[in-house]
Amino acid sequence: MTITAYTLAILLDLLVLFVGARFLYSPHAAANGYGVASPSGSPTAYLRIKGLRDGSYGLLGLALLAFVGARAEAWYMLVVALLPLGDTLIVLRNGGSRAIAFGIHFATAVLVLVASALLFAL
């Protein structure tokens, strides 16, 4: 179970780091993948802010796991699970696809909660 908990936590942290990088380097494509379209040519400042936020969350998660331990990462993930739940609502309230809202964002929240529970169990 230890290997599973650490592997899942690391993969989730790397995934959010990747999402952040995508919003920084390809903001319109990332927004479309997020579930709320951003027309090409529209301003990208807020999309890039999301990229910085997500990238920072990924780095923070990795740092907590590496330098503080599994229990700190478990608490962190428990709190961070609120973000994809909020993302689910944002996509739904802005005309986005239900498949993206639940298949990506809500599923991510559940996976983060599972990772948190596994880390707490160590």
Side-chain angles (χ1 to χ4, degrees):
M1 183 164 63
T2 301
I3 292 172
T4 303
Y6 275 89
T7 300
L8 186 55
I10 290 168
L11 288 175
L12 287 168
D13 289 335
L14 289 174
L15 176 65
V16 78
L17 186 60
F18 169 77
V19 169
R22 188 165 183 227
F23 268 94
L24 286 173
Y25 295 109
S26 186
H28 295 294
N32 292 336
Y34 173 86
V36 179
S38 174
S40 184
S42 64
T44 60
Y46 288 110
L47 299 175
R48 292 182 195 277
I49 289 168
K50 180 181 175 6
L52 285 174
R53 178 195 81 166
D54 288 353
S56 296
Y57 288 142
L59 288 174
L60 179 58
L62 292 170
L64 283 172
L65 196 57
F67 300 112
V68 183
R71 192 149 187 87
E73 178 78 358
W75 280 108
Y76 169 74
M77 288 195 148
L78 185 63
V79 172
V80 166
L82 295 172
L83 295 172
L85 288 173
D87 290 343
T88 302
L89 293 175
I90 290 168
V91 170
L92 291 173
R93 289 182 177 214
N94 287 280
S97 160
R98 292 177 60 83
I100 289 176
F102 291 107
I104 295 174
H105 300 296
F106 189 79
T108 299
V110 170
L111 201 53
V112 170
L113 290 172
V114 167
S116 178
L118 289 172
L119 290 166
F120 273 125
L122 297 180

